[in-house]
């Protein structure tokens, strides 16, 4: 008896290697259907329980299709899915605690809006920043940063963001930013107990109140008191901000720097004095009262002169 396989099998079927779970299995096939059937048999995966995905040359073999041009001994990748598991996944409800791609995109957009420059937010000044010369982003510290959960004595990051917005939209600060053509990437709250900033302090025992990175790429201001029970006084925060803005132009603390800082403070008081003389009110209060500088500004001099006499006291140095 002739036990050789049929002539059609010898001439048309080719030897293929199926790779599945790190193992290689040899089969002979002449079409996509025979490859799929041979894979079910060779891998012991019944067709009524498993769905196979067989990939050749980067494309999935489709039932009823012919084989692509493959060389003898070509390798095909096999992936198997349980039909029961697939049907269970299609009929089950999504886990509400796991966000999908659309939800992730929405959350990312929301986070980007939160860190943007407060275009839709309003501070107690009820004013806006200049369209070009402004603080582009705000970054308050979260409790994870300084290790203390918000409580009745520790202001929340929301309150810190409001304070950053108040500083950025202060009409006198807006005027200085516009006149000096300053643009700051990020106005951020400085971590009050970040030891990594100790190296920036000018000698032992001095408090670090703020710092300027790369001439305005970012400005960090210490908002909270040392005991974290509240925020520093607003006029002190303004002094620190003006100090750091001066570093946009001058790096070292030399005579040129201190002259620029004094000029910025004089400009700040003069802006508010002029607003006060015009009768402008912000949240029902005089700008000098809202800024806490009524005692520092002498209205006649501050409104019309840039002489040092417009300052009732010289502001103390702050920050680095």
């Amino acid at each position: 008896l002739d036990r050789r396989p049929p002539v059609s099998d010898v001439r048309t079927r080719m030897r293929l290697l199926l790779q599945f779970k790190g193992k290689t299995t040899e089969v002979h096939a002449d079409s996509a259907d025979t490859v799929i059937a041979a894979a079910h048999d060779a891998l012991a995966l019944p067709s009524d329980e498993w769905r196979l995905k067989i990939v050749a040359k980067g494309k999935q073999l489709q039932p009823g299709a012919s084989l692509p041009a493959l060389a003898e001994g070509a390798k095909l990748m096999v992936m198997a899915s349980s039909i029961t598991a697939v049907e269970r996944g299609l009929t089950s409800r999504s886990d509400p605690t796991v966000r999908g791609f659309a939800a992730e995109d929405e959350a990312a957009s929301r986070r980007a809006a939160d860190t943007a420059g407060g275009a839709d937010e309003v501070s107690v000044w009820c004013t806006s920043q200049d369209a070009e010369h402004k603080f582009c982003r705000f970054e308050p510290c979260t409790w994870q940063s300084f290790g203390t959960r918000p409580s009745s004595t520790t202001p929340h990051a929301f309150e810190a963001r409001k304070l950053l917005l108040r500083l950025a939209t202060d009409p006198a600060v807006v005027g200085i930013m516009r006149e000096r053509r300053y643009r700051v990437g990020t106005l951020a709250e400085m971590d009050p107990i970040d030891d990594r900033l100790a190296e920036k302090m000018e000698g032992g025992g001095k408090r670090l109140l703020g710092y300027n990175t790369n001439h305005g790429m970012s400005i960090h201001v210490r908002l909270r008191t040392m005991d974290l029970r509240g925020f520093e006084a607003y006029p002190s925060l303004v002094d620190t901000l003006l100090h750091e803005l001066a570093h946009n132009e001058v790096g070292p603390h030399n005579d040129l720097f201190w002259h620029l800082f004094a000029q910025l403070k004089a400009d700040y008081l003069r802006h508010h004095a002029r607003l006060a003389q015009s009768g402008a009110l912000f949240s029902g209060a005089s700008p000098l009262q809202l800024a806490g500088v009524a005692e520092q500004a002498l209205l006649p001099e501050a409104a019309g002169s840039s002489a040092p006499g417009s300052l009732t006291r010289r502001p103390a140095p702050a920050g680095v």
Side-chain angles (χ1 to χ4, degrees):
L1 296 177
D2 188 357
R3 298 183 180 275
R4 290 178 299 175
V7 174
S8 61
D9 288 350
V10 175
R11 293 181 178 178
T12 62
R13 293 197 175 192
M14 66 174 61
R15 182 176 64 89
L16 301 172
L17 301 177
L18 303 179
Q19 293 185 323
F20 180 67
K21 290 186 175 182
K23 297 181 180 180
T24 301
T25 304
E26 181 179 318
V27 297
H28 292 80
D30 57 3
S31 66
D33 289 335
T34 56
V35 172
I36 295 173
H40 278 291
D41 294 338
L43 301 177
L45 299 173
S47 58
D48 58 345
E49 299 179 11
W50 296 88
R51 293 178 181 173
L52 299 185
K53 180 179 180 181
I54 303 177
V55 179
K57 288 189 173 181
K59 295 183 179 180
Q60 181 180 353
L61 298 184
Q62 300 295 336
S66 59
L67 282 176
L70 298 174
E72 187 76 15
K75 295 180 180 180
L76 283 64
M77 184 173 63
V78 181
M79 292 169 281
S81 302
S82 170
I83 295 178
T84 303
V86 172
E87 292 177 348
R88 187 186 305 116
L90 294 175
T91 57
S92 63
R93 297 178 58 184
S94 61
D95 186 348
T97 63
V98 178
R99 291 188 297 199
F101 292 114
E104 286 288 353
D105 291 342
E106 181 180 354
S109 300
R110 189 163 53 250
R111 286 193 298 270
D114 288 343
T115 57
D120 299 328
E121 298 177 275
V122 179
S123 71
V124 293
W125 292 109
C126 300
T127 55
S128 302
Q129 298 191 81
D130 185 79
E132 182 177 357
H133 305 102
K134 62 180 181 178
F135 301 94
C136 300
R137 291 174 296 279
F138 302 135
E139 289 184 5
C141 274
T142 61
W143 69 266
Q144 292 94 336
S145 299
F146 52 83
T148 303
R149 289 180 180 273
S151 64
S152 58
T153 58
T154 303
H156 196 280
F158 297 151
E159 299 302 321
R161 181 180 175 84
K162 289 181 181 178
L163 188 51
L164 292 173
L165 181 64
R166 179 182 176 184
L167 289 169
T169 57
D170 186 317
V173 173
V174 173
I176 290 173
M177 297 285 286
R178 183 185 299 113
E179 292 171 2
R180 298 278 177 171
R181 303 180 67 83
Y182 291 155
R183 184 180 178 91
V184 177
T186 301
L187 178 60
E189 176 186 4
M190 194 188 80
D191 189 336
I193 56 174
D194 192 344
D195 294 333
R196 291 172 297 176
L197 302 179
E199 61 182 1
K200 295 180 178 291
M201 298 175 66
E202 298 180 345
K206 291 188 178 181
R207 294 180 58 192
L208 180 65
L209 302 182
Y211 60 93
N212 183 321
T213 303
N214 289 342
H215 298 280
M217 184 180 75
S218 66
I219 288 179
H220 285 70
V221 176
R222 180 196 292 273
L223 300 183
R224 302 172 193 266
T225 56
M226 293 297 291
D227 59 7
L228 304 180
R229 292 181 176 273
F231 294 125
E232 297 282 357
Y234 184 75
S236 298
L237 296 177
V238 170
D239 284 349
T240 301
L241 180 60
L242 295 178
H243 181 110
E244 302 310 331
L245 284 174
H247 281 303
N248 279 11
E249 299 186 47
V250 184
H253 290 146
N254 53 25
D255 290 342
L256 180 61
F257 171 84
W258 291 116
H259 177 80
L260 175 60
F261 172 57
Q263 184 62 54
L264 291 180
K265 185 59 185 286
D267 291 344
Y268 178 84
L269 295 176
R270 187 165 52 253
H271 273 292
H272 279 311
R274 288 174 177 171
L275 287 172
Q277 280 191 324
S278 70
L281 295 177
F282 298 87
S283 297
S286 163
L288 292 174
Q289 294 175 335
L290 195 58
V293 294
E295 297 181 357
Q296 297 183 40
L298 301 178
L299 288 178
E301 296 181 13
S305 171
S306 61
S310 62
L311 301 179
T312 60
R313 60 186 176 90
R314 187 177 181 85
V320 296

